[in-house]
Amino acid sequence: MKPVAQVLRPQIADPKFAANNPTLTTIALEKPFCTFDGSVSKSASCEVHLYVMVDSATTISASVMDDGNKSLSATFEQAHGGKLGPYKAAKFNVPHCASPPKLSDIADVAKAPAVLTQYLIRVGDDSACLYDPNLQEACNPPLSEDTSYRFKFVLVDRITYIVKNQTLWSDPIKTSKLKPSSSIDTRPGQRSGGMIAITFVLSVLTLVVAAAFLAALASREISTAIKYRPQATQCADLKLGTDSSNGSTMAQEEQDGSSRGAEERRGCQAVPHPRPENEEGPRDAPKGPEPAAVELARPETRKSGVMERGTPALRACSIGAWLADAA
């Protein structure tokens, strides 16, 4: 009668514990629980080696032992990814029936990773081992997409590497194939509610951010324009607007003796003009630039458009406004 291991085959992992399996480059298998218990003595020190080979007509009879009944040490590169023969992809401790993982702990987020590590072995899970020159362990690089593979578990003595027992080669298991974009159904009816909700939320957030940015930019431009607008221009706009909207306002103010309009027009600074040569004034005053700021002429100190000190003042806002004040 053959040992139990020699009539068993590696099995793909249960979908409840390994969703989306196989992937493009990985295949998750169940570890061989209760498979080698009868072949391991209490004093023996053994481990399990996992061999991988691309499915072909000769795979079923491929051997994983050399002439001395020792396990093969062929690597992924030496076997050309399993096309030329089996390669050792992984090794791990013998899983015993006496200490199986509690599959009920899968629901616990804190315990789930440890349970899955005890229960599953993922082939093709190491994408960096091929580039590590100092690697001494078995290399488990990614598999090829849309390719069928077979797998075998082998019980090996840790010290002598003598093969103690082994399973049969598994049935062919094929990795996934990348779908072309043209084959993906993008109709609304084929999309999940979650995808539609996420798309809607992201679209709204994008519009809100864009609107806020444009509003902030416009506000900044307006504030800058008002801040740096010349005061004379603002006053001139005020005077022109007043004159064009109501041409009779100034005349009515002068007739009534009202000074309200005149006081508003005096808000603009007076602009000094050069003193005429024949103007009376101190002869010993030093010649030079006029003061930067000139007091506004008051009504009681003006005489025929000339200030008592002899310095005429013209309004920067409007000549018409100045004539109205001088009158």
Side-chain angles (χ1 to χ4, degrees):
M1 181 178 178
K2 290 184 178 181
V4 175
Q6 296 183 14
V7 296
L8 296 178
R9 301 175 185 272
Q11 301 294 319
I12 190 169
D14 192 316
K16 293 186 298 183
F17 308 119
N20 191 29
N21 182 44
T23 66
L24 294 174
T25 59
T26 65
I27 296 175
L29 303 174
E30 295 180 0
K31 286 185 176 180
F33 280 92
C34 307
T35 302
F36 299 116
D37 283 13
S39 304
V40 180
S41 62
K42 294 183 179 180
S43 59
S45 176
C46 297
E47 61 186 8
V48 177
H49 292 185
L50 171 62
Y51 286 87
V52 182
M53 186 175 180
V54 175
D55 183 37
S56 66
T58 60
T59 304
I60 198 69
S61 59
S63 176
V64 294
M65 297 185 297
D66 58 16
D67 296 337
N69 291 334
K70 292 184 178 181
S71 63
L72 293 177
S73 59
T75 63
F76 177 89
E77 294 176 321
Q78 292 171 346
H80 287 201
K83 296 178 181 179
L84 301 181
Y87 67 91
K88 184 168 63 176
K91 61 180 181 180
F92 49 88
N93 294 330
V94 180
H96 298 284
C97 285
S99 57
K102 294 181 180 180
L103 299 183
S104 59
D105 291 340
I106 291 293
D108 189 340
V109 177
K111 298 179 180 180
V115 172
L116 292 177
T117 300
Q118 290 180 335
Y119 177 67
L120 303 177
I121 175 69
R122 189 176 294 275
V123 187
D125 199 34
D126 190 351
S127 59
C129 64
L130 290 177
Y131 309 101
D132 186 359
N134 300 319
L135 182 68
Q136 301 295 328
E137 304 293 333
C139 184
N140 185 20
L143 305 175
S144 300
E145 68 172 276
D146 194 27
T147 304
S148 294
Y149 290 90
R150 288 180 182 265
F151 308 94
K152 179 189 281 285
F153 291 122
V154 180
L155 183 65
V156 178
D157 187 284
R158 290 180 184 270
I159 300 175
T160 63
Y161 290 98
I162 299 294
V163 174
K164 298 293 185 179
N165 205 344
Q166 59 183 300
T167 66
L168 300 175
W169 282 103
S170 69
D171 295 328
I173 303 175
K174 194 174 186 179
T175 53
S176 299
K177 180 180 181 181
L178 184 64
K179 292 182 179 180
S181 58
S182 58
S183 65
I184 300 176
D185 193 348
T186 58
R187 292 178 297 174
Q190 303 301 321
R191 298 178 184 176
S192 65
M195 292 176 61
I196 295 175
I198 292 174
T199 303
F200 175 76
V201 171
L202 291 178
S203 301
V204 171
L205 288 177
T206 301
L207 291 176
V208 170
V209 171
F213 174 76
L214 292 176
L217 185 62
S219 176
R220 181 179 179 182
E221 292 294 335
I222 293 174
S223 300
T224 304
I226 293 176
K227 181 178 180 181
Y228 294 100
R229 188 179 183 188
Q231 183 180 5
T233 304
Q234 299 179 31
C235 295
D237 290 347
L238 175 63
K239 302 302 182 182
L240 292 176
T242 303
D243 294 343
S244 61
S245 61
N246 189 1
S248 61
T249 302
M250 296 178 63
Q252 186 66 32
E253 289 176 353
E254 294 181 3
Q255 292 177 4
D256 297 342
S258 173
S259 62
R260 182 179 59 186
E263 289 296 334
E264 292 179 354
R265 289 188 293 274
R266 274 190 215 100
C268 303
Q269 292 183 348
V271 179
H273 272 236
R275 179 181 298 173
E277 295 181 359
N278 57 354
E279 184 70 24
E280 295 181 359
R283 298 297 182 179
D284 55 349
K287 295 183 180 181
E290 293 292 333
V294 179
E295 283 188 338
L296 298 178
R298 297 180 180 178
E300 63 271 16
T301 60
R302 296 192 301 272
K303 293 182 179 181
S304 301
V306 180
M307 299 178 61
E308 290 181 350
R309 295 175 59 187
T311 304
L314 296 178
R315 298 295 181 183
C317 303
S318 171
I319 297 178
W322 180 83
L323 291 176
D325 294 342

